[in-house]
Amino acid sequence: MSRTAMNPAKAALTKTLRREAGRWLKSAREAAGLTQAELAEMTGLRYYTFVSQVENGLGRVPIETQAIWAQSLGLDPSQFARTLLRYYEPELHRLLFEGVSDEAADDVDVDDGMAERAAQG
């Protein structure tokens, strides 16, 4: 029996957080002016349907590809990974970052990435 099967409340929370992460990623993609197919191509995915699945909360961005996703979206990879960690592993995020003085680092603003791309020309 899996852990989530033993704890329905945790399974429901995980599902909710994955959907929230998906909404955040979709917002970031749209702010970057990319289609799902374009993001899939930029991140080396064979099919855009994986992007769709992640945006719908049915999957998650693998750790080993988070940097390329962030770069493709024009976001800082460290901030991107930290934000995803808050959705994917909230307890680990709390343990690592609770009480950290850089509160602004907890939230990656999609508009920040747009401003950074605009400044780069």
Side-chain angles (χ1 to χ4, degrees):
M1 188 181 241
S2 74
R3 285 187 197 174
T4 54
M6 288 187 273
N7 188 343
K10 183 175 180 182
L13 176 61
T14 297
K15 189 174 184 179
T16 298
L17 288 172
R18 290 257 177 102
R19 278 194 304 258
E20 289 176 14
R23 283 192 291 271
W24 178 78
L25 285 163
K26 181 177 181 179
S27 177
R29 178 182 55 76
E30 289 174 343
L34 299 172
T35 65
Q36 290 178 342
E38 290 168 334
L39 179 58
E41 184 177 332
M42 292 174 77
T43 57
L45 294 169
R46 191 169 180 175
Y47 303 105
Y48 79 91
T49 53
F50 182 74
V51 175
S52 176
Q53 290 172 343
V54 170
E55 288 183 359
N56 285 301
L58 302 174
R60 53 191 271 176
V61 179
I63 292 170
E64 62 274 6
T65 64
Q66 287 182 9
I68 190 69
W69 278 63
Q71 292 163 353
S72 298
L73 295 169
L75 300 172
D76 174 72
S78 178
Q79 297 282 335
F80 182 83
R82 187 171 177 171
T83 298
L84 286 181
L85 186 63
R86 187 178 61 221
Y87 291 117
Y88 294 163
E89 299 291 340
E91 182 61 16
L92 179 58
H93 183 274
R94 185 189 67 74
L95 290 170
L96 291 171
F97 302 113
E98 185 176 85
V100 173
S101 62
D102 185 14
E103 294 298 323
D106 261 347
D107 294 309
V108 175
D109 187 346
V110 173
D111 293 334
D112 287 347
M114 291 176 60
E116 186 177 312
R117 282 192 303 283
Q120 292 174 351

